[in-house]
Amino acid sequence: MLTDSASAELVKYAANGFLAMKLSYVNAVAELCERLGADILDVTEGMSYDRRIGREFLNPGPGWGGSCLPKDTQALLQVADAADFEFRLMRASIDTNTRQRQRMVDKIRLAVTGNRNGSLTRTRVALLGLTFKAGTNDLRDSPALMIAALLRQAGAELVGFDPALPTAISYPELEGIELVADAYAAVAQADAAVVLTEWPEFRTLDWPRIAAAMGTPRVIDTRNLLDRDVLTRAGLTWTGVGRRQPSDTTVLAAQ
């Protein structure tokens, strides 16, 4: 594609901005699912059959991060501001992403204390996954670390494991997090285990062993990575994002 320099610059910013908006949108829809008793997996599957939407970037999670989306969305706002254009849609997408991190902390509070405003002081929280996505050791703008910072501010004691982060290396970004060598060490005596990165190997962990090792056997799965039935049979309580609980009724069907 041959174009002018201004258009070429905007191609990259606009593409990553669109992906960020799509992720913020699906995270907002996931919250709506929780309030209505719907299930985000069914909703996104139905959406994906529309070829204009597709299947990519329709997985809810703890928020988007990494080396590109945060940088390029901010750059797009700066370009818009310089052109005296108020890009409200992009700003709202960024605000939604920031709110998503706090929403995950509230979900953890509720799971641990039974109250969205409950105290996490001196609770032990195991963080499974710290990089911004699976398949990388990149910690830049990782939503896992943003959530960890909020949990630390709330008084929680944090222990973490990530397959891409050897414990022999010191990571300044992990200040306040005890990094351990495997998931089993992370969950020992924990009040909750929180899945923050979608590493596929987490699916094959020995979940009965984890349930026995934890102080309280509960998992908050911010990536909807794990099989709820597998964890339930292992004796753990599982909480996902935008997922209908087995006891929920479908509000929309009754209306």
Side-chain angles (χ1 to χ4, degrees), residues 203-255:
R203 293 193 183 101
T204 58
L205 290 172
D206 185 340
W207 289 104
R209 176 182 171 185
I210 285 177
M214 294 183 70
T216 306
R218 60 169 68 94
V219 174
I220 299 90
D221 185 358
T222 73
R223 298 282 186 170
N224 290 339
L225 176 72
L226 308 175
D227 186 321
R228 172 169 50 198
D229 293 339
V230 169
L231 269 67
T232 300
R233 288 195 297 270
L236 293 123
T237 300
W238 180 91
T239 301
V241 177
R243 297 298 311 279
R244 182 175 57 243
Q245 296 300 318
S247 60
D248 286 348
T249 56
T250 304
V251 175
L252 292 180
Q255 293 180 345

Side-chain angles (χ1 to χ4, degrees), residues 91-106:
R91 198 174 300 279
S93 297
I94 295 171
D95 291 344
T96 298
N97 192 53
T98 301
R99 180 177 178 274
Q100 184 72 357
R101 298 158 184 168
Q102 183 60 57
R103 199 172 89 78
M104 295 301 99
V105 174
D106 293 343

